[in-house]
């Protein structure tokens, strides 16, 4: 009975972290898929989402408003970054990597200067404890899982059912042809970059009541997102989603039954295996 | 098509210049020779060549909360020393340098302070991984290196004769002083939760060794990686019949840890004994810490005013700029690292004492300085040592002092027990005085 309790806890933890990771990784995958650039500063958008959510909930006293304001603010920052940094270097892949590394440090150090080195908490907007036979669990974490799932669904609808989604898919398949058909690719790039940043910012904002806002929190988010994107297949949104959930569950189960360090090793080994065996990732190249 | 309009480039340049200016502001302190934000506090009274003390500070990286307060305390201590005649009549000048809480960078900082800035001594490092990386280099450069770190590494004998810890007690002494209180007052079946690196292993090893001698059992050992952000997955390893959870954590995750512990155990709450290291820089009244109510915390120096009510404590608190709740007087959200930063203050006064006792004038006198330090035994409580009286053990290069046990009640910390210096004394293993200088 204890073992089944542990397994249940492991799956629950894995599901929650997998869904949050899916949001973050989806943002990275979207940017890579549509724009063909690697955004090294992606984790900092996660951190900014968390920090700005803290700021707004402290200033407005409402986490709900903060949850809206944080992604909007981060989206605006991403638009500015696209306009001021990425577009002038014409989205050249190598230059973009270097530029986004710079952006990473600038954002991180600005937050350190303005917000400080502290880990600051936010009260969960809903607080209840779910009592299972073996242990209790945070009700807010379940809310986070549901919200993340809803947002993932909404993103999928946006990409598959709207004009912007169509433009994005067209740009991803062939930017030149898309441009010839009148798709404003530059604006699509900007929109994808902002959307990717907003997705990860929401994820960052959602976890603030669980794990606080801290100026170095972006690094883990970036590493795990990269893992998900590589395992899932570069640019494949479906693959990213599946990989994020897989990483979350593997992490949950292995770290409850063995050790969290082993869980990280397993996830990294998975990345290595995928790169050796199926270099395009589990879901291959180009699929959405 | 992109990049056609010049305005974009101009905008980019402007942004770059802004960012550059922001970065330059921070970097100014790192450039050799640049005065920058380094505190050059000179008073009218002391005169002559300044005594230059290199201050390796965790301004950035994971130790930034501690670094910020170590720097404020150091600035206040130096101002006080200079107002009261300096050290051996010379003004003190601090040369501060950021190490990013990074062991590799730390070694470079040691070299830079010693060789470029040509400081007299180096002091201030906190994080044990940085100290362990730095100390051998300081030993090679033969420059006295005063750490404010709390780890057992100095007293273990693993470092060298140039490394001393005269301002703060080590983990082994803390555990030795507190273990009997924990076993007698909280319970005998103890689960240890600690960070998965050297500092945590000190807790595991010393508490693990002491518990059986006190008739207690360690029922679980739960190491947690320092970058962990979610803790629920660790709690299944804590058996249901545990009496006491002994927890020590470092890093930003503590609020999550406490909150998730509350969610997991609910009303079946084991007793808890924690180390303030987890809660330094964190408001005890912060949302999520409610579950700590009624539990016990070790403090080196009580954060709330009045809990260790001495004139020296009050004067120290006021000079550093800490209010009655342990927050900065300038910003109530800016919580101090009160149980650690006094170590900087006391270390500087220890330096003052040994410089004056040894007649130190220049680096030629390092031998005399270190020998004078090793002769120090009792340190009286006073303006330079507000945390309390201390005993320095020359062969260990380590100071011993009193510890406090506080209970969390009404969203603040209330002292319930104070140990004696002797409670933390253990049989010394090392003897640095036998090493050549």
């Amino acid at each position: 009975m204890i073992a089944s309790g542990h397994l249940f806890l492991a799956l629950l933890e894995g599901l929650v972290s997998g869904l949050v990771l899916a949001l973050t990784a989806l943002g990275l995958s979207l940017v890579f898929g549509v724009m063909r650039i690697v955004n090294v500063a992606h984790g900092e958008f996660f951190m900014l989402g968390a920090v700005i959510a803290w700021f707004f909930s402290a200033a407005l006293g409402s986490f709900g408003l903060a949850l809206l304001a944080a992604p909007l603010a981060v989206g605006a920052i991403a638009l500015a970054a696209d306009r001021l940094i990425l577009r002038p270097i014409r989205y050249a892949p190598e230059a973009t990597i270097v530029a986004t590394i710079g952006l990473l440090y600038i954002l991180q150090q600005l937050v350190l200067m303005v917000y400080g080195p502290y880990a600051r908490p936010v009260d969960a907007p809903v607080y209840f404890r779910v009592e299972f036979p073996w242990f209790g669990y945070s009700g807010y974490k379940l809310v986070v899982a549901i919200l993340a799932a809803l947002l993932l669904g909404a993103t999928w609808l946006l990409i598959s059912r709207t004009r912007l989604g169509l433009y994005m898919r067209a740009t991803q398949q062939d930017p030149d042809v898309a441009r010839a058909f009148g798709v404003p690719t530059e604006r699509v790039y900007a929109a994808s970059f902002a959307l990717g940043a907003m997705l990860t910012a929401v994820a960052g904002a959602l976890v603030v009541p669980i794990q606080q806002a801290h100026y170095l929190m972006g690094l883990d988010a970036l590493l795990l997102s990269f893992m998900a994107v590589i395992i899932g297949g570069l640019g494949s949104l479906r693959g990213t989603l599946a990989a994020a959930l897989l990483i979350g569950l593997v992490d949950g189960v292995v770290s409850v039954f063995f050790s969290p360090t082993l869980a990280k090793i397993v996830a990294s080994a998975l990345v290595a295996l995928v790169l050796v065996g199926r270099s395009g990732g589990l879901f291959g190249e180009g699929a959405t | 098509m992109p990049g056609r309009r010049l305005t974009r480039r101009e905008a980019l340049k402007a942004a770059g210049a802004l960012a550059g200016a922001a970065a330059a502001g921070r970097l100014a302190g790192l450039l050799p020779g640049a005065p920058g934000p380094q505190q050059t506090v000179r008073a009218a009274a002391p005169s002559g060549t300044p005594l230059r003390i290199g201050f390796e500070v965790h301004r950035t990286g994971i130790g930034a909360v501690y670094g910020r307060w170590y720097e404020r305390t150091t600035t206040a201590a130096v101002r006080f020393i200079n107002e009261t005649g300096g050290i051996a009549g010379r003004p003190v000048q601090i040369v501060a340098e950021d190490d990013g809480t990074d062991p590799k960078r730390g070694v470079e900082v040691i070299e830079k302070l010693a060789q470029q800035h040509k400081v007299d001594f180096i002091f201030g490092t906190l994080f044990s991984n940085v100290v362990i990386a730095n100390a051998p280099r300081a030993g090679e450069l033969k420059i006295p290196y005063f750490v404010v770190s709390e780890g057992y590494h100095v007293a273990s004998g693993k470092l060298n004769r140039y490394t001393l810890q005269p301002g703060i007690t080590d983990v082994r002494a803390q555990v030795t002083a507190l273990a009997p209180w924990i076993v007698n007052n909280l319970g005998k079946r103890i689960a240890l939760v600690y960070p998965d690196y050297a500092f945590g292993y000190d807790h595991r090893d010393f508490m693990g060794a002491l518990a059986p001698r006190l008739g207690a059992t360690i029922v679980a050992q739960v190491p947690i990686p320092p970058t962990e952000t979610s803790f629920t997955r660790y709690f299944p390893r804590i058996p249901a019949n545990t009496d006491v959870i002994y927890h020590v954590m470092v890093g930003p995750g503590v609020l999550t840890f406490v909150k998730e512990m509350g969610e997991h155990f609910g009303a079946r709450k084991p007793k808890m004994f924690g180390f303030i290291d987890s809660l330094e820089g964190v408001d005890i009244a912060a949302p999520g810490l409610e579950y700590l109510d009624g539990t016990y915390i070790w403090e080196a120096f009580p954060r709330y005013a009045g809990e260790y009510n001495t004139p020296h404590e009050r004067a120290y608190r006021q000079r550093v700029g800490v209010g009655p709740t342990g927050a900065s007087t300038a910003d109530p959200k800016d919580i101090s690292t009160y149980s650690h930063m006094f170590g900087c203050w006391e270390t500087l006064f220890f330096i003052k004492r040994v410089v004056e006792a040894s007649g130190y004038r220049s680096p030629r006198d390092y031998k005399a300085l270190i020998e004078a330090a090793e002769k120090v035994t009792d340190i009286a409580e006073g303006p330079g040592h507000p945390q309390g009286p201390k005993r320095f053990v020359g062969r260990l290069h380590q100071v011993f002092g009193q510890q406090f046990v506080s209970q969390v009640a009404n969203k603040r910390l209330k002292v319930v027990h104070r140990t004696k210096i002797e409670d933390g004394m253990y049989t010394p293993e090392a003897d640095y005085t036998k090493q050549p200088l």
Side-chain angles (χ1 to χ4, degrees):
Chain A
M1 188 194 100
I2 291 288
S4 59
H6 286 190
L7 182 65
F8 181 64
L9 176 71
L11 294 175
L12 206 59
E13 275 284 284
L15 186 70
V16 174
S17 57
L19 282 166
V20 173
L21 174 60
L23 272 183
T24 315
L26 193 64
L28 188 67
S29 184
L30 196 69
V31 167
F32 181 82
V34 176
M35 304 167 75
R36 301 279 140 178
I37 61 161
V38 175
N39 176 20
V40 184
H42 189 69
E44 301 319 303
F45 290 139
F46 179 81
M47 178 272 288
L48 278 177
V51 168
I52 295 173
W54 173 84
F55 173 78
F56 278 110
S57 49
L60 307 173
S62 153
F63 184 69
L65 284 177
L67 206 52
L68 281 176
L72 289 177
V74 173
I77 293 169
L79 278 180
D82 173 70
R83 182 88 189 178
L84 299 176
I85 299 171
L86 300 181
R87 218 194 281 186
I89 56 173
R90 300 177 191 209
Y91 305 101
E94 297 84 0
T96 315
I97 291 179
V98 178
T100 51
I101 290 176
L103 184 62
L104 179 156
Y105 284 117
I106 292 170
L107 292 177
Q108 206 176 73
Q109 294 303 313
L110 280 177
V111 170
L112 176 62
M113 285 160 72
V114 176
Y115 167 87
Y118 302 95
R120 301 196 197 258
V122 167
D123 251 330
V126 283
Y127 186 81
F128 56 99
R129 181 168 174 267
V130 184
E131 183 73 52
F132 293 112
W134 316 278
F135 55 83
Y137 198 72
S138 157
Y140 178 71
K141 279 195 183 175
L142 299 179
V143 172
V144 167
I146 292 166
L147 282 177
L150 286 176
L151 278 167
L152 290 169
T155 311
W156 181 76
L157 280 179
L158 175 83
I159 289 167
S160 60
R161 297 291 158 85
T162 66
R163 179 175 292 257
L164 176 63
L166 182 67
Y167 282 177
M168 284 161 86
R169 281 177 291 143
T171 309
Q172 172 164 10
Q173 276 180 12
D174 192 327
D176 293 332
V177 175
R179 210 173 293 129
F181 276 85
V183 173
T185 49
E186 282 207 345
R187 262 192 268 162
V188 172
Y189 281 168
S192 308
F193 198 67
L195 183 62
M198 285 166 75
L199 280 173
T200 186
V202 173
L206 278 174
V207 302
V208 182
I210 304 176
Q211 64 177 47
Q212 302 103 44
H214 186 249
Y215 82 108
L216 294 174
M217 71 194 292
L219 189 63
D220 257 17
L222 178 72
L223 287 179
L224 287 171
S225 305
F226 264 123
M227 283 188 178
V229 170
I230 290 169
I231 293 176
L234 288 168
S236 157
L237 300 187
R238 230 176 355 160
T240 304
L241 248 172
L245 287 175
L246 179 73
I247 291 177
L249 289 175
V250 166
D251 193 53
V253 172
V254 177
S255 52
V256 167
F257 285 97
F258 301 97
S259 89
T261 313
L262 185 67
K264 299 277 182 293
I265 295 173
V266 170
S268 310
L270 223 56
V271 172
L273 277 179
V274 165
L275 286 177
V276 172
R278 276 183 71 98
S279 57
L282 294 180
F283 286 73
E285 174 78 76
T288 42
Chain B
M1 189 172 68
R4 175 166 43 87
R5 276 173 262 156
L6 268 172
T7 46
R8 257 181 234 134
R9 288 176 179 226
E10 281 161 5
L12 177 66
K13 276 184 199 153
L18 262 177
R26 298 188 59 75
L27 286 175
L30 308 181
L31 298 174
Q38 299 155 5
Q39 306 81 350
T40 313
V41 188
R42 284 175 217 190
S47 60
T49 348
L51 191 74
R52 288 161 62 79
I53 300 179
F55 178 32
E56 181 183 332
V57 51
H58 305 322
R59 269 191 194 137
T60 55
I62 192 79
V65 176
Y66 284 97
R68 167 177 289 209
W69 281 99
Y70 268 39
E71 195 158 4
R72 288 175 185 163
T73 310
T74 299
T75 308
V78 167
R79 191 184 304 129
F80 184 33
I81 288 173
N82 284 338
E83 280 168 14
T84 50
I87 292 182
R90 295 165 69 181
V92 178
Q93 188 183 355
I94 290 289
V95 182
E97 182 98 27
D98 179 24
D99 65 7
T101 326
D102 175 1
K104 193 165 157 285
R105 175 75 191 136
V107 177
E108 292 164 8
V109 168
I110 294 285
E111 287 167 358
K112 193 169 165 188
L113 288 171
Q115 294 175 331
Q116 287 183 23
H117 291 295
K118 302 213 182 303
V119 297
D120 290 277
F121 321 114
I122 299 173
F123 110 110
T125 328
L126 165 67
F127 270 55
S128 53
N129 53 341
V130 187
V131 171
I132 288 167
N134 284 353
R137 191 69 187 117
E140 282 163 13
L141 294 167
K142 293 186 183 292
I143 183 165
Y145 177 44
F146 298 89
V147 299
V148 190
S149 162
E150 222 185 31
Y152 179 60
H153 31 262
V154 176
S156 70
K158 277 187 288 192
L159 304 182
N160 54 64
R161 204 168 171 190
Y162 285 87
T163 307
L164 303 101
Q165 184 154 261
I168 192 163
T169 64
D170 67 282
V171 171
R172 184 170 181 184
Q174 292 161 9
V175 175
T176 306
L178 298 166
W181 190 89
I182 296 172
V183 173
N184 293 334
N185 292 280
L186 303 181
K188 295 194 188 312
R189 297 177 55 81
I190 302 170
L192 304 179
V193 180
Y194 52 89
D196 196 6
Y197 67 97
F199 172 70
Y201 302 156
D202 282 352
H203 276 279
R204 177 195 63 193
D205 296 344
F206 298 128
M207 191 61 198
L210 281 167
R213 276 189 252 156
L214 296 163
T217 329
I218 302 297
V219 292
Q221 294 186 345
V222 187
I224 297 188
T227 53
E228 190 57 272
T229 50
S230 171
F231 304 91
T232 304
R233 57 183 67 161
Y234 298 89
F235 298 135
R237 294 195 213 158
I238 299 175
N241 60 358
T242 301
D243 294 330
V244 193
I245 296 180
Y246 171 110
H247 61 97
V248 50
M249 303 276 306
V250 174
V254 61
L255 288 163
T256 315
F257 174 74
V258 170
K259 195 157 31 176
E260 293 187 343
M261 199 148 60
E263 281 148 1
H264 188 88
F265 291 104
R268 291 188 295 112
K269 184 177 182 175
K271 295 216 168 81
M272 274 185 243
F273 188 93
F275 282 74
I276 193 75
D277 307 64
S278 330
L279 295 160
E280 288 284 59
V282 177
D283 190 351
I284 301 295
L289 286 183
E290 295 83 3
Y291 197 68
L292 281 184
D293 202 53
T295 72
Y296 297 90
I297 304 275
W298 160 77
E299 290 190 277
F301 202 16
R303 181 190 291 182
Y304 287 84
E307 296 296 328
Y308 184 58
N309 201 358
T310 68
H312 305 306
E313 197 277 343
R314 289 195 295 272
Y316 161 82
R317 186 180 288 266
Q318 194 241 330
R319 281 190 167 273
V320 180
V322 177
T325 61
S328 161
T329 41
D331 175 7
K333 280 201 164 71
D334 194 349
I335 311 292
S336 66
T337 58
Y338 209 73
S339 273
H340 289 80
M341 64 203 209
F342 73 87
C344 291
W345 180 282
E346 298 210 358
T347 300
L348 288 166
F349 278 90
F350 182 89
I351 292 175
K352 176 177 161 74
R353 173 172 172 168
V354 296
V355 164
E356 290 172 357
S358 66
Y360 173 90
R361 297 301 304 162
S362 72
R364 279 189 310 248
D365 307 321
Y366 280 157
K367 186 168 181 292
L369 179 101
I370 286 176
E371 284 169 352
E374 286 164 351
K375 289 201 185 79
V376 174
T377 50
D378 288 311
I379 299 170
E381 188 164 0
H385 298 278
Q387 190 266 350
K390 305 247 159 19
R391 191 168 308 151
F392 188 75
V393 176
R395 59 179 285 187
L396 293 181
H397 282 199
Q398 174 63 50
V399 84
F400 291 80
Q402 59 189 11
Q403 314 291 346
F404 297 82
V405 176
S406 298
Q407 187 172 26
V408 184
N410 301 322
K411 304 201 166 189
R412 54 176 282 148
L413 291 163
K414 182 162 182 47
V415 173
V416 294
H417 178 65
R418 171 155 62 108
T419 72
K420 298 191 196 68
I421 297 178
E422 305 81 71
D423 297 343
M425 307 280 294
Y426 45 80
T427 320
E429 289 171 345
D431 190 351
Y432 286 114
T433 60
K434 293 211 167 73
Q435 291 182 8
L437 272 165

